[in-house]
Coordinates of all heavy atoms in Angstrom, one line a residue:
Chain B
Y89 N -7.0 8.9 -7.5 CA -5.8 9.4 -6.9 C -4.6 8.9 -7.6 O -4.6 7.8 -8.2 CB -5.7 8.9 -5.4 CG -6.9 9.2 -4.6 CD1 -8.1 8.4 -4.6 CD2 -7.0 10.3 -3.7 CE1 -9.2 8.6 -3.8 CE2 -8.0 10.5 -2.9 CZ -9.2 9.7 -3.0 OH -10.2 9.9 -2.2
W90 N -3.5 9.7 -7.5 CA -2.2 9.2 -7.9 C -1.2 9.4 -6.7 O -1.2 10.4 -6.0 CB -1.6 10.0 -9.0 CG -2.0 9.5 -10.4 CD1 -3.0 10.1 -11.2 CD2 -1.5 8.4 -11.0 NE1 -3.1 9.3 -12.4 CE2 -2.2 8.3 -12.3 CE3 -0.6 7.4 -10.7 CZ2 -2.0 7.2 -13.2 CZ3 -0.3 6.4 -11.6 CH2 -1.0 6.3 -12.8
Y91 N -0.5 8.3 -6.4 CA 0.5 8.3 -5.4 C 1.9 7.9 -5.9 O 2.0 7.2 -6.9 CB 0.2 7.2 -4.3 CG -1.1 7.5 -3.5 CD1 -2.3 7.0 -3.9 CD2 -1.0 8.3 -2.4 CE1 -3.5 7.3 -3.2 CE2 -2.2 8.5 -1.6 CZ -3.4 8.0 -2.1 OH -4.5 8.3 -1.4
R92 N 2.9 8.4 -5.3 CA 4.3 8.0 -5.6 C 4.8 7.3 -4.4 O 4.6 7.7 -3.2 CB 5.1 9.2 -5.9 CG 6.6 9.0 -6.0 CD 7.4 10.2 -6.3 NE 8.8 9.9 -6.1 CZ 9.7 10.5 -6.9 NH1 9.4 11.4 -7.8 NH2 11.0 10.2 -6.7
Q93 N 5.6 6.2 -4.6 CA 6.2 5.5 -3.6 C 7.7 5.2 -3.9 O 8.0 4.6 -5.0 CB 5.5 4.2 -3.3 CG 6.0 3.5 -2.0 CD 5.2 2.2 -1.6 OE1 4.8 1.5 -2.5 NE2 5.1 2.0 -0.4
D94 N 8.6 5.7 -3.1 CA 10.0 5.4 -3.3 C 10.4 4.2 -2.5 O 9.7 3.9 -1.5 CB 10.8 6.7 -2.9 CG 10.5 7.8 -3.8 OD1 11.1 7.8 -4.9 OD2 9.8 8.7 -3.5
P95 N 11.5 3.5 -2.8 CA 11.8 2.3 -2.1 C 11.9 2.5 -0.6 O 12.6 3.4 -0.1 CB 13.2 2.0 -2.7 CG 13.2 2.6 -4.1 CD 12.4 3.9 -3.9
G96 N 11.2 1.6 0.1 CA 11.3 1.6 1.5 C 10.5 2.8 2.2 O 10.6 3.0 3.4
Q97 N 9.8 3.5 1.4 CA 9.1 4.7 1.9 C 7.5 4.5 1.8 O 7.1 3.5 1.2 CB 9.4 5.9 1.1 CG 10.9 6.2 1.0 CD 11.5 6.5 2.4 OE1 10.9 7.3 3.2 NE2 12.6 5.9 2.8
G98 N 6.8 5.4 2.4 CA 5.4 5.4 2.3 C 4.8 6.0 1.0 O 5.6 6.4 0.1
L99 N 3.5 6.1 0.9 CA 2.8 6.6 -0.2 C 2.7 8.2 -0.1 O 2.3 8.6 1.0 CB 1.5 6.0 -0.4 CG 1.3 4.7 -1.1 CD1 2.0 3.6 -0.3 CD2 -0.1 4.4 -1.4
R100 N 3.0 8.9 -1.1 CA 2.9 10.3 -1.1 C 1.9 10.7 -2.2 O 2.0 10.3 -3.3 CB 4.2 11.0 -1.3 CG 5.1 10.8 -0.1 CD 6.4 11.6 -0.2 NE 7.3 11.1 -1.3 CZ 8.3 11.8 -1.8 NH1 8.6 13.0 -1.3 NH2 9.1 11.3 -2.7
L101 N 0.9 11.6 -1.8 CA -0.2 11.9 -2.7 C 0.3 13.0 -3.7 O 0.8 14.0 -3.3 CB -1.4 12.4 -1.9 CG -2.6 12.8 -2.7 CD1 -3.2 11.6 -3.4 CD2 -3.6 13.4 -1.7
I102 N 0.1 12.7 -5.0 CA 0.5 13.6 -6.1 C -0.7 14.6 -6.4 O -0.6 15.8 -6.4 CB 1.0 12.9 -7.3 CG1 2.2 11.9 -6.9 CG2 1.5 13.9 -8.4 CD1 2.6 11.0 -8.1
Y103 N -1.7 14.0 -6.9 CA -3.0 14.7 -7.3 C -4.1 13.8 -7.0 O -4.0 12.6 -6.9 CB -3.0 14.9 -8.8 CG -2.4 16.2 -9.3 CD1 -1.1 16.3 -9.8 CD2 -3.1 17.4 -9.3 CE1 -0.5 17.5 -10.2 CE2 -2.6 18.6 -9.7 CZ -1.3 18.6 -10.2 OH -0.7 19.8 -10.6
Y104 N -5.3 14.4 -6.8 CA -6.5 13.7 -6.7 C -7.7 14.4 -7.3 O -7.6 15.6 -7.5 CB -6.8 13.3 -5.2 CG -7.1 14.4 -4.3 CD1 -8.4 14.7 -3.8 CD2 -6.1 15.2 -3.8 CE1 -8.6 15.7 -2.9 CE2 -6.3 16.3 -2.9 CZ -7.6 16.5 -2.5 OH -7.8 17.5 -1.6
S105 N -8.7 13.7 -7.6 CA -9.9 14.2 -8.3 C -11.1 13.7 -7.7 O -11.3 12.4 -7.6 CB -9.8 13.9 -9.8 OG -11.0 14.2 -10.5
Q106 N -12.1 14.5 -7.4 CA -13.3 14.1 -6.8 C -14.4 14.0 -7.9 O -15.3 13.1 -7.8 CB -13.8 15.1 -5.8 CG -13.0 15.2 -4.5 CD -13.0 13.9 -3.7 OE1 -12.2 13.1 -3.8 NE2 -14.1 13.7 -3.0
I107 N -14.3 14.8 -8.9 CA -15.3 14.7 -10.0 C -14.7 15.0 -11.3 O -13.5 15.5 -11.4 CB -16.5 15.8 -9.8 CG1 -15.9 17.2 -9.6 CG2 -17.3 15.4 -8.5 CD1 -16.9 18.2 -9.6
V108 N -15.4 14.8 -12.4 CA -14.8 15.0 -13.7 C -14.5 16.5 -13.9 O -15.2 17.4 -13.4 CB -15.9 14.6 -14.8 CG1 -15.4 15.0 -16.2 CG2 -16.1 13.1 -14.7
N109 N -13.4 16.8 -14.6 CA -13.0 18.2 -14.9 C -12.6 19.0 -13.7 O -12.6 20.2 -13.7 CB -14.1 18.9 -15.7 CG -14.3 18.4 -17.1 OD1 -13.3 17.9 -17.7 ND2 -15.5 18.3 -17.5
D110 N -12.3 18.3 -12.6 CA -11.8 19.0 -11.4 C -10.7 18.1 -10.7 O -10.9 16.9 -10.6 CB -12.9 19.2 -10.4 CG -12.5 20.1 -9.3 OD1 -11.8 21.1 -9.5 OD2 -12.9 19.8 -8.1
F111 N -9.7 18.7 -10.2 CA -8.7 17.9 -9.5 C -7.9 18.9 -8.6 O -7.9 20.1 -8.8 CB -7.7 17.2 -10.5 CG -7.2 18.0 -11.6 CD1 -6.1 18.9 -11.4 CD2 -7.7 18.0 -12.9 CE1 -5.6 19.7 -12.5 CE2 -7.3 18.7 -13.9 CZ -6.2 19.6 -13.7
Q112 N -7.3 18.3 -7.6 CA -6.5 19.1 -6.6 C -5.1 18.6 -6.5 O -4.9 17.4 -6.6 CB -7.2 19.1 -5.2 CG -8.5 19.8 -5.1 CD -9.7 19.1 -5.8 OE1 -9.8 17.9 -5.6 NE2 -10.5 19.9 -6.4
K113 N -4.2 19.5 -6.1 CA -2.8 19.1 -5.9 C -2.8 18.3 -4.5 O -3.4 18.7 -3.6 CB -1.9 20.3 -5.8 CG -1.8 21.0 -7.2 CD -0.8 22.2 -7.0 CE -0.6 22.8 -8.4 NZ 0.3 24.0 -8.3
G114 N -1.9 17.3 -4.5 CA -1.6 16.6 -3.3 C -0.4 17.3 -2.7 O -0.1 18.5 -2.8
D115 N 0.4 16.4 -2.0 CA 1.6 16.9 -1.3 C 2.8 17.1 -2.1 O 3.7 17.9 -1.7 CB 1.9 16.0 -0.1 CG 0.7 15.8 0.8 OD1 0.1 16.8 1.2 OD2 0.4 14.7 1.2
I116 N 2.9 16.5 -3.3 CA 4.1 16.6 -4.1 C 3.7 16.7 -5.6 O 4.2 16.0 -6.4 CB 5.0 15.3 -3.9 CG1 4.2 14.0 -4.2 CG2 5.5 15.2 -2.5 CD1 5.1 12.8 -4.4
A117 N 2.9 17.7 -5.9 CA 2.4 17.9 -7.3 C 3.4 18.5 -8.2 O 3.3 18.4 -9.5 CB 1.2 18.8 -7.2
E118 N 4.5 19.1 -7.7 CA 5.4 19.8 -8.6 C 6.1 18.8 -9.6 O 6.6 17.8 -9.2 CB 6.5 20.5 -7.8 CG 7.4 21.4 -8.7 CD 8.4 22.2 -7.9 OE1 8.3 22.2 -6.6 OE2 9.3 22.7 -8.5
G119 N 6.0 19.2 -10.9 CA 6.6 18.3 -11.9 C 5.7 17.3 -12.5 O 6.0 16.5 -13.3
Y120 N 4.4 17.3 -12.0 CA 3.4 16.4 -12.5 C 2.2 17.2 -13.0 O 1.9 18.3 -12.6 CB 2.9 15.5 -11.4 CG 4.0 14.6 -10.8 CD1 4.7 15.0 -9.6 CD2 4.4 13.4 -11.4 CE1 5.6 14.2 -9.0 CE2 5.4 12.6 -10.8 CZ 6.0 13.0 -9.6 OH 7.0 12.2 -9.1
S121 N 1.4 16.5 -13.9 CA 0.1 17.1 -14.3 C -0.9 16.0 -14.5 O -0.5 14.8 -14.8 CB 0.3 18.0 -15.6 OG 0.6 17.1 -16.7
V122 N -2.1 16.3 -14.4 CA -3.2 15.3 -14.6 C -4.3 15.9 -15.4 O -4.4 17.2 -15.6 CB -3.7 14.8 -13.2 CG1 -2.7 14.0 -12.5 CG2 -4.3 16.0 -12.4
S123 N -5.3 15.1 -15.8 CA -6.5 15.5 -16.4 C -7.6 14.6 -16.0 O -7.3 13.4 -15.6 CB -6.4 15.6 -17.9 OG -6.2 14.3 -18.4
R124 N -8.8 15.0 -15.9 CA -10.0 14.1 -15.6 C -11.1 14.5 -16.5 O -12.1 15.1 -16.2 CB -10.4 14.3 -14.1 CG -11.4 13.3 -13.7 CD -10.9 12.1 -13.2 NE -11.8 11.0 -12.9 CZ -12.5 10.9 -11.7 NH1 -12.3 11.8 -10.8 NH2 -13.3 9.9 -11.5
E125 N -11.0 14.1 -17.8 CA -12.0 14.4 -18.8 C -13.1 13.4 -18.8 O -14.2 13.7 -19.2 CB -11.3 14.5 -20.2 CG -10.3 15.6 -20.3 CD -9.6 15.6 -21.7 OE1 -9.9 14.7 -22.5 OE2 -8.7 16.4 -21.9
K126 N -12.9 12.2 -18.3 CA -13.9 11.2 -18.1 C -13.8 10.6 -16.7 O -12.8 10.6 -16.1 CB -13.6 10.0 -19.1 CG -13.7 10.4 -20.6 CD -13.6 9.2 -21.5 CE -12.3 8.5 -21.2 NZ -12.1 7.3 -22.1
K127 N -14.9 10.1 -16.3 CA -15.0 9.6 -14.9 C -14.1 8.4 -14.8 O -13.5 8.2 -13.7 CB -16.4 9.2 -14.6 CG -16.7 8.7 -13.2 CD -18.2 8.4 -12.9 CE -18.4 8.1 -11.5 NZ -19.9 7.8 -11.2
E128 N -13.9 7.6 -15.8 CA -13.2 6.4 -15.8 C -11.7 6.6 -15.8 O -10.9 5.6 -15.5 CB -13.6 5.4 -16.9 CG -15.1 5.1 -17.0 CD -15.9 6.2 -17.6 OE1 -15.3 7.1 -18.3 OE2 -17.1 6.2 -17.4
S129 N -11.2 7.7 -16.2 CA -9.8 7.9 -16.6 C -9.1 9.0 -15.9 O -9.7 10.1 -15.8 CB -9.7 8.1 -18.1 OG -8.4 8.3 -18.5
F130 N -7.9 8.8 -15.4 CA -7.2 9.8 -14.7 C -5.7 9.7 -15.0 O -4.9 9.2 -14.2 CB -7.4 9.7 -13.2 CG -7.0 10.8 -12.3 CD1 -7.2 12.1 -12.7 CD2 -6.4 10.6 -11.1 CE1 -6.8 13.2 -11.9 CE2 -6.0 11.6 -10.3 CZ -6.2 12.9 -10.6
P131 N -5.3 10.1 -16.2 CA -3.9 9.9 -16.6 C -2.9 10.9 -15.9 O -3.3 12.1 -15.6 CB -3.9 10.2 -18.1 CG -5.1 11.1 -18.3 CD -6.1 10.7 -17.3
L132 N -1.7 10.5 -15.6 CA -0.7 11.3 -14.9 C 0.5 11.5 -15.9 O 1.0 10.5 -16.5 CB -0.2 10.6 -13.7 CG 1.0 11.2 -13.0 CD1 0.6 12.4 -12.2 CD2 1.7 10.2 -12.0
T133 N 0.8 12.7 -16.1 CA 2.0 13.1 -16.9 C 3.1 13.5 -16.0 O 3.0 14.4 -15.1 CB 1.7 14.2 -17.9 OG1 0.7 13.7 -18.8 CG2 3.0 14.6 -18.7
V134 N 4.3 12.8 -16.2 CA 5.5 13.1 -15.4 C 6.3 14.0 -16.4 O 6.8 13.5 -17.4 CB 6.2 11.9 -15.0 CG1 7.5 12.2 -14.2 CG2 5.3 10.9 -14.3
T135 N 6.4 15.3 -16.0 CA 7.1 16.2 -16.9 C 8.6 16.2 -16.7 O 9.1 15.7 -15.7 CB 6.5 17.6 -16.8 OG1 7.0 18.2 -15.6 CG2 5.0 17.6 -16.8

Side-chain angles (χ1 to χ4, degrees):
Chain B
Y89 306 82
W90 275 105
Y91 294 92
R92 169 181 172 144
Q93 188 175 37
D94 292 282
Q97 304 296 313
L99 277 66
R100 292 185 290 169
L101 183 63
I102 305 172
Y103 270 98
Y104 64 107
S105 169
Q106 293 293 100
I107 57 173
V108 175
N109 293 323
D110 188 45
F111 47 83
Q112 287 77 40
K113 293 182 179 179
D115 301 316
I116 55 164
E118 185 175 351
Y120 299 97
S121 66
V122 293
S123 63
R124 188 86 186 276
E125 297 177 0
K126 298 187 300 181
K127 187 176 184 179
E128 303 79 18
S129 179
F130 192 41
L132 173 74
T133 296
V134 184
T135 74

